[in-house]
């Protein structure tokens, strides 16, 4: 299923945070998103089966959202497995940003542990 640019950006935010988030918390961490747009897009991502929703069982009873698939599964679905492999390989070869490479390594390790 195709994603809009803003849906894709929201999914990246969930993968970057790597935890369950409320809509309010996501908005606090990414204030560039417009409130109504963010809320609508999260609901669409739930309907498109990219996000899962849970109810916090504490006093607040807030809705929590998280990515339904690992980052590698998400990108594989979007652009195909061989394209992901090529993209990761090229990114690693060309990147001089150690923080970004550390982020990629963490994603790979998390995905490997989930196998």
């Amino acid at each position: 299923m195709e994603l809009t640019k803003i849906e894709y950006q929201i999914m990246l935010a969930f993968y970057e945070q790597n935890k369950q988030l409320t809509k309010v918390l996501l908005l606090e961490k990414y204030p560039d998103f417009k409130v109504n747009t963010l809320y609508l897009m999260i609901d669409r991502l739930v309907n498109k089966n990219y996000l899962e929703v849970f109810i916090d069982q504490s006093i607040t009873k807030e809705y929590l959202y998280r990515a339904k698939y690992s980052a590698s599964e998400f990108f594989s679905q979007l652009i195909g497995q061989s394209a992901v492999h090529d993209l990761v390989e090229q990114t690693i070869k060309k990147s001089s940003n150690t923080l970004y490479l550390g982020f990629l390594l963490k994603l790979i390790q998390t995905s490997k542990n989930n196998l």
Side-chain angles (χ1 to χ4, degrees):
M1 194 173 291
E2 298 261 339
L3 294 180
T4 64
K5 182 179 177 182
I6 189 74
E7 288 171 336
Y8 179 76
Q9 291 171 340
I10 291 169
M11 288 304 299
L12 291 181
F14 273 97
Y15 286 117
E16 188 174 287
Q17 292 301 308
N18 198 28
K19 61 182 177 182
Q20 295 178 356
L21 298 167
T22 64
K23 291 176 180 179
V24 172
L25 187 57
L26 189 65
L27 192 58
E28 287 173 4
K29 293 184 178 289
Y30 300 93
D32 290 343
F33 290 131
K34 291 184 172 47
V35 176
N36 291 340
T37 303
L38 178 71
Y39 285 23
L40 178 63
M41 293 301 113
I42 287 177
D43 291 341
R44 283 187 184 174
L45 287 166
V46 169
N47 290 337
K48 288 182 175 184
N49 212 26
Y50 284 100
L51 292 178
E52 294 179 304
V53 61
F54 302 90
I55 298 175
D56 181 3
Q57 296 300 321
S58 68
I59 297 169
T60 60
K61 303 282 187 205
E62 295 180 296
Y63 288 103
L64 297 168
Y65 301 87
R66 75 171 180 205
K68 187 166 184 172
Y69 306 101
S70 70
S72 61
E73 290 171 322
F74 172 72
F75 288 110
S76 293
Q77 285 179 355
L78 285 180
I79 58 177
Q81 195 167 9
S82 63
V84 170
H85 178 270
D86 293 343
L87 176 66
V88 170
E89 189 174 272
Q90 290 299 318
T91 301
I92 290 169
K93 285 181 183 177
K94 292 181 180 180
S95 182
S96 60
N97 183 336
T98 56
L99 288 175
Y100 183 66
L101 289 175
F103 173 71
L104 286 176
L105 181 59
K106 184 178 174 184
L107 284 176
I108 292 167
Q109 289 170 336
T110 300
S111 294
K112 182 178 177 184
N113 291 338
N114 291 335
L115 292 177

